[in-house]
Amino acid sequence: MFSQLNVINKSQKAFLRKLYLAHLLDEEQHNLLSLQKLTGMPRRTLQDAIAAFADIGIRVDFIQQGQRHNEGHYRISTWGPISSAWVNSHFEQIKAIIEDVETQELAS
């Protein structure tokens, strides 16, 4: 996959981030706060990635649970052309690549 490349470009990182987050949303009920705690990603980065799921064919819904707008969780309604089984089997590799790229960015 991407590990054979020396450098992950910005669009590849964004794509992998979407796959990573979609997997997390498919495995458990998450809202922005729980995703932020789990991933360490900024809230705005998470919002942007979730909003851009449609760019790669993934459809996500927010399931409202309560009166306040942020009470609820995200749910993947369709993976579109993406194979969720492939993402599941490559999840640890995807996660490691994202973490490596972010570590390199912090170091530079």
Side-chain angles (χ1 to χ4, degrees):
M1 189 174 76
F2 291 100
S3 62
Q4 296 172 349
L5 303 174
N6 292 332
V7 177
I8 301 295
N9 68 37
K10 189 175 179 178
S11 61
Q12 289 169 329
K13 179 183 172 189
F15 178 73
L16 290 174
R17 181 183 291 129
K18 290 172 198 164
L19 296 181
Y20 172 71
L21 292 173
H23 173 81
L24 294 176
L25 295 178
D26 208 32
E27 293 293 308
E28 290 184 44
Q29 293 182 354
H30 286 287
N31 58 25
L32 287 176
L33 182 60
S34 66
L35 285 173
Q36 198 173 9
K37 288 179 182 178
L38 181 64
T39 66
M41 292 180 195
R43 181 181 184 91
R44 187 67 199 164
T45 300
L46 293 167
Q47 289 172 318
D48 290 346
I50 292 168
F53 278 177
D55 294 350
I56 61 171
I58 296 174
R59 183 166 172 230
V60 64
D61 300 311
F62 186 77
I63 310 303
Q64 188 75 31
Q65 295 175 317
Q67 301 290 20
R68 295 178 38 175
H69 180 66
N70 62 351
E71 292 177 353
H73 65 275
Y74 291 98
R75 181 186 69 204
I76 302 294
S77 59
T78 181
W79 280 82
I82 306 295
S83 168
S84 61
W86 184 91
V87 174
N88 187 44
S89 67
H90 291 83
F91 178 73
E92 291 302 321
Q93 186 179 8
I94 292 168
K95 181 180 175 185
I97 292 169
I98 291 169
E99 289 172 350
D100 287 347
V101 170
E102 290 175 352
T103 301
Q104 291 171 9
E105 288 173 350
L106 288 174
S108 45

